[in-house]
C-alpha cells in the first residue's frame, strides 16, 4: 500500500470514533417527522438529495432530535416557505458547506498535523494527540457557523431596508428579479505570474488579494463568489460598486504582485440560490477584458448613476456574448 494512502486510512481510523458519537445521536426517521406533521418522507428525501446526500429510507434513522425538529417546522410552514425554496437553499448549503468541510480538513492536514507530529517521535502518542485535537476542533464550528449565518441575515435585512431596489414592472413579474450593480475584479496576468514565480507564490498572492477584497468591499457589498484569481460582488447602488472597485485597485497598486483590474455594470438580474443570472451578469463579467492593469471600466448605466466620479469615455467595444457594441468608460484617478 502506498505510504500516502496508508496515512490517509490511519487518519480516517482516528477521526472515525469522533464522528461516530454524532452519528449515534441520529435516531429519528423521516417517517417519525412525517407523523409529527412535518415534511413527508418523500419531501425529506428530496431535501437531502439537494444537500448532496443519498435520500434516506422512510424508516431509516437519519436525524438528531434537533435536526428532526427543523424538518417538522419546515413542514408546518409550507404556506410561507414552500418546498421549492427549501430545495434551493439546500443546494446552496450543500455546495457551500461541502467546500467548507474540505477546506477544514485540508487546513487540519497542512497546519495542525505538522505541529502535533513534530512534538516527539512516538507515533502512538502522536495519533492520540491528533484525535484529541480533532475532537475539540470539530464542535467549535457549529456555534461559529450559526453565529456567522445570523449576522449575515441581519446584514442583508439591513441592506434591503436601507436600499430598496427599483424594479421595472415588466421585470418584477419574474421571480427573483433585482436591479443591482455588479463588480468584477481580478488579478491581471495572474497566470503568467504563477508560471514565473511558482505555485506557493501564486497562492500567497491570491490570499493577499482576497484579504484586500474583504476589507475594501465596504458595508454595502456582498461577495457573491470567488473566481479563482478573481471575485464577483453585488451592490444596490452603482456608486458603492465603483468606490469598492477603486479601493481594491488602490490597495494592490504598487505592490510587487499582479495588479487588479475591475468592471462594473448596472442592470436587472435573477437572484437564485445565492447567485445571480442573466445578461447583466454576463456583460459585467466579460467587460473585465477591456480593463488594463489598475483600471476600472464601466457601462453607461453606471456612469449616469455614479456621476460623482470622473469618467473618461473610451468608445464602443465588442464584448463577447453581447450582440451590440457596448459604450465603455474608464474611471479617472
Amino acid at each position: 500500500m502506498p505510504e500516502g494512502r496508508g496515512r490517509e486510512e490511519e487518519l480516517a481510523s482516528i477521526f472515525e470514533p469522533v464522528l461516530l458519537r454524532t452519528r449515534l445521536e441520529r435516531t429519528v426517521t423521516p417517517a417519525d417527522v412525517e407523523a409529527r406533521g412535518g415534511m413527508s418522507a418523500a419531501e425529506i428525501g428530496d431535501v437531502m438529495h439537494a444537500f448532496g446526500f443519498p435520500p434516506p429510507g422512510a424508516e431509516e434513522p437519519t436525524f438528531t432530535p434537533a435536526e428532526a425538529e427543523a424538518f417538522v417546522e419546515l413542514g408546518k410552514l409550507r404556506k410561507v416557505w414552500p418546498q421549492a425554496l427549501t430545495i434551493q437553499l439546500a443546494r446552496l448549503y450543500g455546495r457551500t458547506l461541502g467546500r467548507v468541510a474540505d477546506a477544514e480538513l485540508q487546513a487540519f492536514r497542512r497546519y495542525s498535523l505538522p505541529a502535533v507530529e513534530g512534538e516527539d517521535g512516538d507515533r502512538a502518542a502522536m495519533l492520540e494527540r491528533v484525535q484529541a485535537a480533532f475532537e475539540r476542533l470539530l464542535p467549535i464550528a457549529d456555534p461559529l457557523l450559526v453565529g456567522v449565518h445570523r449576522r449575515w441575515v441581519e446584514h442583508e435585512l439591513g441592506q434591503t431596508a436601507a436600499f430598496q431596489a427599483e424594479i421595472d414592472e415588466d421585470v418584477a413579474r419574474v421571480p427573483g428579479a433585482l436591479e443591482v450593480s455588479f463588480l468584477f475584479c481580478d488579478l491581471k496576468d495572474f497566470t503568467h505570474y504563477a508560471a514565473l514565480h511558482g505555485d506557493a507564490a501564486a497562492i500567497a498572492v491570491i490570499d493577499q488579494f482576497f484579504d484586500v477584497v474583504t476589507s475594501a468591499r465596504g458595508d454595502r457589498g456582498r461577495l457573491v463568489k470567488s473566481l479563482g484569481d478573481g471575485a464577483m460582488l453585488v451592490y444596490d447602488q452603482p456608486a458603492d460598486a465603483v468606490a469598492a472597485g477603486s479601493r481594491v485597485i488602490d490597495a494592490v497598486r504598487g505592490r510587487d504582485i499582479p495588479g487588479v483590474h475591475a468592471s462594473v455594470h448596472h442592470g436587472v438580474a435573477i437572484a437564485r440560490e445565492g447567485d445571480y443570472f442573466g445578461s447583466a451578469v454576463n456583460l459585467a463579467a466579460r467587460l473585465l477584458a477591456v480593463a488594463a492593469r489598475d483600471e476600472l471600466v464601466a457601462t453607461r448605466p453606471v456612469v449616469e448613476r455614479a456621476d460623482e466620479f470622473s469618467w473618461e469615455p473610451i468608445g464602443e467595444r465588442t464584448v463577447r456574448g453581447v450582440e451590440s457594441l457596448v459604450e465603455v468608460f474608464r474611471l479617472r484617478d
Side-chain angles (χ1 to χ4, degrees):
M1 179 183 297
E3 182 180 348
R5 176 64 176 168
R7 187 164 184 252
E8 290 296 313
E9 290 184 350
E10 186 177 46
L11 290 176
S13 68
I14 296 168
F15 297 154
E16 182 67 20
V18 180
L19 299 172
L20 180 61
R21 296 188 188 100
T22 303
R23 289 202 291 268
L24 291 175
E25 297 174 3
R26 297 171 188 161
T27 58
V28 185
T29 69
D32 294 332
V33 173
E34 185 172 350
R36 292 176 54 196
M39 283 185 169
S40 69
E43 289 174 328
I44 291 172
D46 291 339
V47 173
M48 294 303 291
H49 180 71
F51 277 131
F53 299 106
E59 301 295 338
E60 181 181 346
T62 306
F63 306 113
T64 66
E67 291 170 343
E69 188 62 33
F71 283 103
V72 170
E73 287 301 310
L74 284 170
K76 294 178 178 179
L77 291 169
R78 285 188 184 90
K79 289 185 178 180
V80 295
W81 193 264
Q83 171 78 350
L85 293 184
T86 301
I87 294 295
Q88 284 188 32
L89 284 182
R91 293 194 189 104
L92 175 60
Y93 287 160
R95 291 196 302 266
T96 304
L97 292 176
R99 292 182 62 189
V100 170
D102 180 65
E104 287 173 335
L105 289 180
Q106 294 296 338
F108 189 86
R109 291 189 185 98
R110 181 178 178 183
Y111 297 105
S112 301
L113 282 181
V116 175
E117 289 175 338
E119 292 185 8
D120 54 50
D122 188 339
R123 187 71 176 169
M126 183 277 291
L127 295 179
E128 289 182 6
R129 289 194 297 268
V130 171
Q131 182 172 340
F134 187 75
E135 188 168 13
R136 293 181 63 184
L137 285 167
L138 187 61
I140 292 174
D142 293 344
L144 288 177
L145 287 173
V146 171
V148 169
H149 175 256
R150 288 185 181 275
R151 283 168 174 79
W152 272 111
V153 171
E154 292 167 3
H155 173 81
E156 293 299 325
L157 286 173
Q159 291 299 99
T160 301
F163 302 98
Q164 179 63 45
E166 297 178 0
I167 305 173
D168 181 83
E169 289 184 3
D170 292 333
V171 177
R173 297 192 184 101
V174 181
L178 296 170
E179 186 176 343
V180 290
S181 296
F182 295 102
L183 166 64
F184 282 82
C185 50
D186 73 6
L187 295 164
K188 185 71 171 174
D189 300 323
F190 173 76
T191 302
H192 175 71
Y193 179 91
L196 189 63
H197 296 279
D199 292 342
I203 292 172
V205 164
I206 289 177
D207 288 342
Q208 290 182 55
F209 170 71
F210 279 102
D211 284 344
V212 169
V213 170
T214 300
S215 61
R217 67 177 175 82
D219 295 333
R220 297 175 178 176
R222 184 167 67 85
L223 178 61
V224 178
K225 55 187 173 183
S226 59
L227 306 165
D229 59 340
M232 170 186 171
L233 301 97
V234 65
Y235 295 81
D236 287 301
Q237 304 297 332
D240 294 327
V242 173
S246 180
R247 287 194 296 268
V248 172
I249 291 172
D250 288 342
V252 176
R253 192 195 309 267
R255 298 189 187 184
D256 189 23
I257 61 175
V260 172
H261 60 160
S263 59
V264 181
H265 176 57
H266 184 84
V268 174
I270 307 301
R272 185 176 178 83
E273 296 182 18
D275 204 347
Y276 294 82
F277 302 89
S279 58
V281 185
N282 295 334
L283 174 54
R286 291 167 179 172
L287 185 65
L288 193 59
V290 176
R293 175 175 174 146
D294 299 335
E295 282 188 352
L296 183 149
V297 297
T299 57
R300 177 166 287 282
V302 173
V303 172
E304 290 176 347
R305 292 169 173 81
D307 56 4
E308 62 265 48
F309 295 93
S310 178
W311 298 97
E312 175 188 355
I314 59 174
E316 294 183 330
R317 300 297 179 91
T318 299
V319 177
R320 184 169 60 88
V322 179
E323 292 185 3
S324 57
L325 294 173
V326 177
E327 190 176 8
V328 183
F329 298 79
R330 179 190 295 119
L331 181 67
R332 289 196 177 104
D333 294 334

